[in-house]
Amino acid sequence: MGRRTVDVEDRWWRDAVLYQVYPRSWADANGDGVGDLRGIRSRLDHLVWLGVDALWLSPIQPSPMADFGYDISDHTEVHPVYGDLGDLDDLVAAAHQRDLRMVLDYVPNHTSDHHPWFVAARSSRTDPHRDFYVWRDPAPDGGPPNNWRSRFGGGPAWTLDEATGQYWLHSFLPEQPDLDWRNDAVQAAMTDVLRFWMRRGIDGFRVDVAHRIVKDARLRNNPPNPDWEPGMSDDRRVVEHYSRNWPDVHAVHRLLRATVEEFDDPPRLLAGEVNLAPPEWAAYFGDDDEFHLPFNFHSIVDLPWTPSAVAGLVEDVERAVPDRSWPSWILSNHDKPRFPSRIGREFACQALVLLLTARGTPVLYYGDELALGDTDVPPEAVQDPWGHQVPGEGRDPERTPMPWDATPTAGFCPAGVAPWLPLGSDAITRNVATQSEDPSSPLQLVRDLLALRRQRRSLRRGSIHVRATTDHALAWERRAGDEVTVVLASFADHDTVVDLPGHHDLLRSTRIDRRGRVVDHVELGPHEAVVMEPVEPATD
Ligand code: NOJ
């Protein structure tokens, strides 16, 4: 079948704001302390009120939860903790009724070790599913076949199956055996998974660790990392030359893209987690035949929050994104500290303005709209396997329940129920109900910015030009035809003045009390960001 081309203008995600829901933590309808699909459905109107266009759910499929859903044991079912396929159908229908698109996580690099494919594969060397996974004989000394390390800090990326005498490859936990995408049968089975969900009305996918799913066919040793020192995480002992970003991976992404293009009403989104810096990352657009949106997160997490670093990243991304392709921006997700904890709470509103006005599709992580920070999770409450293996490295602090209101369970679960992870100690003040009453809150700022995006094509589709940076401030201009929007952000903890010739009307500031017109220069308060429109000077 030939490729169908969807006009760039019809690609709904270019205008959209995506919102990531971590299903365990958003809304618990059945009172077991863990979020679920009925809970998500009951809160959809929050997303409508806020003005987002699509929700992306982290994995909801059956899983032993060794990695909280990123270890799938049945690709075409729903984990009972979240509900069933009927609940998912109801959620999709309710979302579509509200013009919200539904995006699911898709985890192609590995399955759970409980997946029937792996159970069969492990049963004997001659099982028909054996080659769904990567098996190798021990090295001559009986040890692992090569020096690759598991990403979760726990030693080799190989575990020996005593019964069949071979090692299986796992880039992550031993409970997450890697699939072998060089096997046509894996390609057929896994693309059928995409078709299954698209037939159920799913509007797109976020592909987990997209840059890892094909490795060097010869499984050569990775070079040692000359910069590794004791105290650094174990997986950094080697440079991951042969085990990720291997050139053959792109053929698989072209296959995934062709698969989502079999369904074109509406066009389906293929987004991917591509944890690489801009030049390598941009290769995952392919020739507009791989990802629509390779999520650009890696470079932001390590970014010092300064005007020159942020401007430099935007310019690097703009240089790297091919002409027909489209960037995306993310500040937080379920794997890294939330952005207010990472860059400093005082920058939170300013950072939200930058996220929502840069060129590209923004992705909000649940709670970003409240400027939620990380929650302290005491050792006895740790849930993340990574946190158990490497104390302090766990991802629980950024996965705690969504605070909806000022009640003792924050509206996340019924009264008297203990949530699976503790609520933030500030949930009593930092919650949806409280912030929706407060015009100066991050929540109202995000809502106003999303409304501005809908009104202003320059913010949605316009070009971006980083106009000027000083030690203290950053400016960018978005332009679509005659419509121009100017964004200015202060990084200083004191008042600062930015020269800006001409007259500008203020559309929104992080300070709600600021209104009116500025002429030739802008006085910004500490960490203030403003969105403005150039105007003709008034004539008498
Ligand atoms: C990336 C996911 O975002 C993370 O949560 C997961 O642990 C790994 N991939 C393994 O699937």
Side-chain angles (χ1 to χ4, degrees):
M1 194 193 313
R3 269 185 83 203
R4 302 180 197 180
T5 19
V6 175
D7 192 285
V8 160
E9 290 294 313
D10 291 339
R11 293 179 177 177
W12 55 265
W13 50 87
R14 292 201 170 195
D15 283 329
V17 176
L18 309 187
Y19 185 101
Q20 181 189 357
V21 167
Y22 195 66
R24 296 183 73 82
S25 298
W26 210 53
D28 168 23
N30 70 357
D32 60 0
V34 176
D36 46 49
L37 297 180
R38 280 203 296 123
I40 296 172
R41 182 153 61 96
S42 73
R43 294 288 188 182
L44 284 181
D45 287 332
H46 169 67
L47 300 181
V48 176
W49 177 86
L50 193 59
V52 306
D53 305 282
L55 63 157
W56 148 34
L57 302 184
S58 288
I60 52 166
Q61 292 86 350
S63 159
M65 298 286 175
D67 188 15
F68 288 112
Y70 286 94
D71 50 320
I72 292 177
S73 53
D74 183 345
H75 286 98
T76 53
E77 259 299 343
V78 168
H79 193 299
V81 80
Y82 301 127
D84 57 24
L85 282 170
D87 293 319
L88 183 78
D89 291 343
D90 291 347
L91 174 59
V92 172
H96 286 170
Q97 258 167 20
R98 291 164 173 78
D99 283 334
L100 292 167
R101 311 269 188 192
M102 290 282 308
V103 175
L104 290 188
D105 229 297
Y106 173 69
V107 187
N109 182 67
H110 44 268
T111 67
S112 160
D113 60 338
H114 289 219
H115 195 294
W117 296 340
F118 188 73
V119 174
R122 198 173 174 173
S123 68
S124 99
R125 286 196 185 204
T126 55
D127 185 89
H129 281 96
R130 183 76 170 180
D131 294 341
F132 267 46
Y133 297 88
V134 183
W135 296 92
R136 286 295 181 278
D137 290 336
D141 66 356
N146 69 18
N147 69 354
W148 296 0
R149 317 299 295 171
S150 146
R151 278 286 293 132
F152 282 157
W158 297 93
T159 293
L160 180 64
D161 179 50
E162 306 271 349
T164 58
Q166 285 188 311
Y167 281 85
W168 76 83
L169 176 66
H170 51 87
S171 300
F172 296 89
L173 298 169
E175 294 86 347
Q176 294 167 294
D178 283 20
L179 285 166
D180 185 355
W181 275 83
R182 294 180 185 276
N183 179 341
D184 291 346
V186 168
Q187 298 192 3
M190 287 298 289
T191 48
D192 271 351
V193 169
L194 295 174
R195 293 183 188 97
F196 173 86
W197 292 113
M198 289 189 284
R199 278 188 207 107
R200 283 200 115 85
I202 294 302
D203 300 292
F205 303 92
R206 173 269 192 191
V207 178
D208 190 56
V209 288
H211 53 302
R212 285 186 179 276
I213 68 179
V214 180
K215 291 94 183 164
D216 173 36
R218 290 163 56 200
L219 302 173
R220 280 169 279 185
N221 276 330
N222 277 324
N225 177 0
D227 300 327
W228 188 84
E229 294 169 3
M232 284 166 67
S233 71
D234 174 83
D235 58 301
R236 295 189 55 200
R237 281 171 184 270
V238 291
V239 178
E240 288 201 276
H241 182 71
Y242 293 108
S243 50
R244 66 166 203 170
N245 194 28
W246 191 249
D248 300 347
V249 78
H250 295 284
V252 170
H253 296 322
R254 287 193 290 274
L255 173 68
L256 300 184
R257 172 71 171 263
T259 307
V260 300
E261 286 186 349
E262 291 169 16
F263 294 68
D264 62 354
D265 184 22
R268 311 300 157 108
L269 165 67
L270 191 67
E273 180 196 19
V274 179
N275 255 331
L276 301 167
E280 294 173 303
W281 158 81
Y284 288 75
F285 287 107
D287 183 16
D288 193 22
D289 57 358
E290 298 184 34
F291 289 102
H292 299 116
L293 299 180
F295 284 155
N296 166 27
F297 186 63
H298 164 88
S299 7
I300 301 170
V301 172
D302 297 323
L303 198 69
W305 202 252
T306 62
S308 57
V310 174
L313 178 64
V314 172
E315 285 170 334
D316 285 352
V317 165
E318 286 295 317
R319 261 192 300 277
V321 175
D323 281 351
R324 291 159 63 211
S325 300
W326 190 244
S328 56
W329 293 99
I330 293 180
L331 283 175
S332 296
N333 74 10
H334 61 291
D335 289 329
K336 298 287 178 189
R338 286 177 176 274
F339 75 91
S341 300
R342 226 173 49 232
I343 65 176
R345 168 151 305 291
E346 63 281 18
F347 290 104
C349 286
Q350 177 251 43
L352 285 166
V353 171
L354 296 177
L355 171 75
L356 298 172
T357 63
R359 187 178 84 103
T361 299
V363 188
L364 288 162
Y365 182 49
Y366 80 97
D368 279 358
E369 71 272 41
L370 305 170
L372 207 65
D374 286 352
T375 297
D376 283 336
V377 175
E380 64 280 8
V382 166
Q383 300 276 349
D384 183 18
W386 196 356
H388 284 297
Q389 284 197 17
V390 189
E393 288 280 309
R395 298 162 292 177
D396 296 324
E398 60 263 23
R399 296 176 173 180
T400 57
M402 176 77 172
W404 294 98
D405 59 35
T407 62
T409 55
F412 165 71
C413 52
V417 170
W420 77 289
L421 278 172
L423 288 163
S425 54
D426 59 353
I428 197 81
T429 50
R430 192 177 297 284
N431 61 63
V432 174
T434 308
Q435 289 199 10
S436 59
E437 299 291 312
D438 175 3
S440 69
S441 64
L443 183 63
Q444 292 288 0
L445 173 69
V446 170
R447 184 169 187 243
D448 289 351
L449 290 169
L450 298 196
L452 263 185
R453 285 178 64 93
R454 277 194 299 280
Q455 289 158 20
R456 299 184 71 76
R457 185 172 166 83
S458 55
L459 281 179
R460 295 194 314 278
R461 295 278 181 119
S463 59
I464 188 165
H465 173 49
V466 180
R467 274 169 55 136
T469 54
T470 67
D471 287 350
H472 296 308
L474 163 65
W476 56 58
E477 183 183 280
R478 304 288 313 277
R479 180 182 289 271
D482 291 340
E483 189 191 276
V484 176
T485 307
V486 174
V487 178
L488 257 181
S490 164
F491 288 67
D493 58 6
H494 49 77
D495 291 344
T496 184
V497 177
V498 179
D499 290 336
L500 191 70
H503 293 218
H504 290 80
D505 271 352
L506 197 75
L507 300 171
R508 184 62 157 94
S509 160
T510 49
R511 279 174 42 197
I512 192 69
D513 55 336
R514 186 200 267 267
R515 296 258 181 278
R517 176 166 297 186
V518 295
V519 178
D520 291 338
H521 64 265
V522 190
E523 291 167 26
L524 293 172
H527 312 115
E528 183 179 2
V530 291
V531 183
M532 299 182 300
E533 172 175 36
V535 285
E536 293 298 322
T539 46
D540 298 326

